[in-house]
Amino acid sequence: MLIKNLIVFGTRPEAIKMAPLVKEFLKNQSFITKVCVTGQHREMLDQVLDFFDIEPDYDLNLMKKGQNLFGLTADIITGLRPVLEEFQPDFVYVHGDTTTTMSASIAAFYSGAKVCHVEAGLRTFNKKAPFPEEINRTITGHIADFHFAPTQESFDNLIREGIPEKHIEITGNTVIDALMHSVDRVDEIVDSEIETLKNTLDFTKRTILVTGHRRENHGEGFIRICEALKEIGDAVKEVQLVYPVHLNPKVQEPVYETLGNASNIKLIKPLAYPAFVWLMNKAEMVITDSGGVQEEAPSLGKPVLVMRDTTERPEAVKAGTVILVGTNKEKIVNETLHLLNDQDHFTKMSKLHNPYGDGNACKRIVAFMEKVTPVKS
Ligand code: UD1
Ligand code: UDP
C-alpha cells in the first residue's frame, strides 16, 4: 500500500528547508507525496518555489498585508480542513516554528493524520523570545508523532520533555541540504538578480550582509538596530552594509525611514535564494536576527553577529563562530568594529564550521519514514 504524505509550509524559511525534502520524497516510489502551501508569505514564498521548481498541489493563498496572529491561525486551521478531507494523508509534515507549523499540526491532528515535525526540539526556554516561535514549536513538538531533530542538543531537549527516544531521529538540518544544492550552482547559473548585485554594489568595499525581521524586535528594537547600522556606515568608509529588507511593514517602515539615505548602506528588496546565497558568500560577515541565516553563515565560514538576547541554536555560539549582540546599539557597533579591525579575532570567528548538518538530512528523514507503518489514530 502506498503511503500518503502531505508536506505543508507557508513562509520563506520553511519553503527553503522543506524544498529538498519534497524532492527526496517525490523520487521515492513508496510514497504519494503532495505539497500544500498556506501562503502565509506570498512573494517571498513564490521566490523559493520558483527556484526549487515546486508546484504546490494545494495553495491556500492566505496572506493578508499586515496580517495578525489571531486571524492567520484561524484561517490556516480552517483552510486546511478541506485539503485534509480530500487527500486523507497518512502523514503530515510540518517544519520549525511558524504560525503555519503550529496551526497545520493542530489541523492534521484533528484529521487523524500523524504529524512529522522537521527541525524539532529547538528551544530557548523563553516564551517571549522568539515570539511566538518558542511556543509554536513546543506545541507542535507535543502534537507530533515523529520528530526530526537537527542536532544532539535538540534531541536532548525532546528527551527532557518526555518524547520517546524511538520517535526521534537526529538528521542534521535540511537547510544544509538546501545550501549545498545551491551554493555550487550559483556560480554557474545565469541569474538576473546576481547580475544586478554585481552591477549595483561595490565589491571593492568590505561587505557586511544584514537581515532582520523578528517580532520581538519590532518597535524600539528595530530603531536601535537601525541606529547601530547607521553608526557603522558613518564610521567606516571602506564598508558597505547590504540589507535585503523583509516585506513586513513593521520592518520596512523603520528601516527605510532611518536608513533610506544613510551612507554606505544599501537597502534592497528580499533576494531570491540563489542571489542571497551568492551574496552571503561574497560578504565578509553577517549581522542578523534570522534563524536560517545563523545556520547557513557558519557553514560558509562567515562570522555572525546575532541581534537577539538568546538563541535556540547554541551550537555555533559554542563553536565561537556566532556572537549574540541583542539589539543593544553599542554592542552591535563595538562587536562589528572589533571584527573589522582585529584580524586574529576575525580569523578565529571565520573558521569553517558546520554544526547543523552534512547535506543528507532529507535522505535520513525518508529512510526513517520508510520503516514507519501508517496506522491512523
Ligand atoms: C514569519 C514567521 C516567522 C519567520 C518569518 C520568516 C510567524 C508568526 N512568523 O514572520 O517565524 O521567522 O516569517 O520570514 O509565523 N509580507 C509580504 N510578502 C511576503 C511576506 C510577508 O508582504 O512574501 C508582509 C505582509 O504584510 C504580512 C507581513 O509581512 O502580513 C507579516 O508576515 P507574517 O508571516 O505574519 O510575519 P513574518 O514577520 O514574516
Ligand atoms: N533569505 C533569502 N533572501 C533574503 C533573505 C534571506 O532567500 O533576502 C533566506 C536565507 O538564506 C535563509 C532564510 O531565507 O535560508 C531565512 O529566512 P528568514 O530570515 O526570513 O526567517 P527565519 O530563518 O528567521 O525563520
Side-chain angles (χ1 to χ4, degrees):
M1 191 188 68
L2 289 177
I3 298 165
K4 290 204 272 179
N5 286 333
L6 184 68
I7 301 185
V8 182
F9 50 89
T11 65
R12 169 174 67 192
E14 293 167 80
I16 291 168
K17 291 168 167 186
M18 285 300 228
L21 187 61
V22 170
K23 298 281 182 197
E24 200 61 38
F25 268 127
L26 287 176
K27 281 195 283 188
N28 192 306
Q29 302 299 313
S30 313
F31 303 92
I32 300 175
T33 299
K34 292 198 177 188
V35 173
C36 175
V37 295
T38 62
Q40 175 176 337
H41 283 175
R42 192 68 275 167
E43 302 89 328
M44 286 159 54
L45 172 70
D46 293 343
Q47 285 179 319
V48 185
L49 296 174
D50 286 348
F51 174 61
F52 286 97
D53 199 17
I54 292 174
E55 209 166 306
D57 299 278
Y58 305 95
D59 187 342
L60 305 185
N61 197 21
L62 291 174
M63 194 193 87
K64 296 188 179 100
K65 291 281 165 193
Q67 64 204 4
N68 65 69
L69 297 176
F70 302 87
L72 182 62
T73 303
D75 288 349
I76 294 169
I77 295 175
T78 321
L80 277 171
R81 183 178 174 183
V83 175
L84 293 162
E85 286 178 352
E86 184 193 290
F87 182 48
Q88 301 203 4
D90 300 295
F91 296 104
V92 172
Y93 297 74
V94 295
H95 180 278
D97 53 23
T98 70
T99 295
T100 288
T101 315
M102 187 268 293
S103 311
S105 319
I106 291 174
F109 169 65
Y110 289 164
S111 80
K114 299 245 183 241
V115 175
C116 305
H117 190 197
V118 181
E119 198 183 85
L122 277 67
R123 298 286 184 272
T124 59
F125 305 102
N126 178 346
K127 272 190 202 181
K128 297 268 175 74
F131 175 87
E133 289 84 1
E134 177 73 0
I135 289 301
N136 284 345
R137 59 193 170 215
T138 307
I139 292 172
T140 303
H142 288 270
I143 292 174
D145 298 280
F146 299 107
H147 310 254
F148 299 110
T151 63
Q152 183 66 45
E153 275 88 342
S154 43
F155 172 90
D156 293 344
N157 289 338
L158 292 168
I159 294 291
R160 275 194 290 271
E161 289 178 16
I163 306 293
E165 190 175 337
K166 62 178 192 295
H167 294 171
I168 317 172
E169 184 80 344
I170 301 180
T171 58
N173 198 308
T174 60
V175 78
I176 306 299
D177 299 29
L179 185 67
M180 287 185 172
H181 165 84
S182 313
V183 79
D184 295 333
R185 287 176 63 200
V186 296
D187 285 328
E188 290 157 18
I189 55 173
V190 180
D191 182 280
S192 61
E193 265 190 329
I194 296 176
E195 289 312 307
T196 307
L197 293 176
K198 284 180 186 162
N199 294 331
T200 53
L201 298 175
D202 179 0
F203 289 105
T204 61
K205 290 190 165 185
R206 305 178 71 178
T207 303
I208 302 178
L209 176 61
V210 181
T211 79
H213 68 85
R214 296 242 81 82
R215 263 182 166 72
E216 65 275 15
N217 291 344
H218 290 174
E220 291 188 356
F222 259 97
I223 304 289
R224 289 194 297 272
I225 289 172
C226 290
E227 284 171 353
L229 298 175
K230 192 166 183 309
E231 196 167 316
I232 297 163
D234 285 339
V236 194
K237 296 296 164 222
E238 69 277 15
V239 97
Q240 63 173 348
L241 293 117
V242 187
Y243 184 170
V245 188
H246 192 289
L247 294 179
N248 192 334
K250 297 230 164 83
V251 177
Q252 291 260 320
E253 282 157 23
V255 170
Y256 276 94
E257 210 163 282
T258 322
L259 299 177
N261 297 314
S263 44
N264 302 317
I265 298 192
K266 297 276 183 194
L267 303 180
I268 58 175
K269 288 186 186 154
L271 293 167
Y273 193 57
F276 187 78
V277 169
W278 182 87
L279 183 59
M280 192 161 36
N281 228 350
K282 288 286 270 186
E284 241 179 78
M285 58 176 283
V286 178
I287 307 179
T288 188
D289 67 10
S290 161
V293 177
Q294 255 179 90
E295 293 155 344
E296 292 161 337
S299 308
L300 298 176
K302 308 294 170 182
V304 190
L305 300 181
V306 172
M307 297 182 291
R308 295 169 57 176
D309 296 320
T310 172
T311 180
E312 62 290 90
R313 295 168 170 88
E315 296 85 355
V317 179
K318 281 185 200 147
T321 60
V322 163
I323 294 177
L324 297 181
V325 291
T327 56
N328 180 300
K329 183 181 155 193
E330 274 69 45
K331 209 156 183 203
I332 298 171
V333 174
N334 292 342
E335 290 292 353
T336 304
L337 297 183
H338 187 192
L339 268 166
L340 290 173
N341 296 330
D342 181 340
Q343 187 56 48
D344 283 351
H345 176 55
F346 184 89
T347 308
K348 271 189 206 130
M349 272 193 80
S350 50
K351 63 177 181 272
L352 203 76
H353 189 65
N354 204 344
Y356 298 110
D358 61 1
N360 290 312
C362 296
K363 284 197 169 62
R364 292 192 186 96
I365 294 172
V366 174
F368 181 94
M369 291 311 295
E370 278 185 309
K371 290 184 266 160
V372 174
T373 322
V375 181
K376 288 201 183 176
S377 47

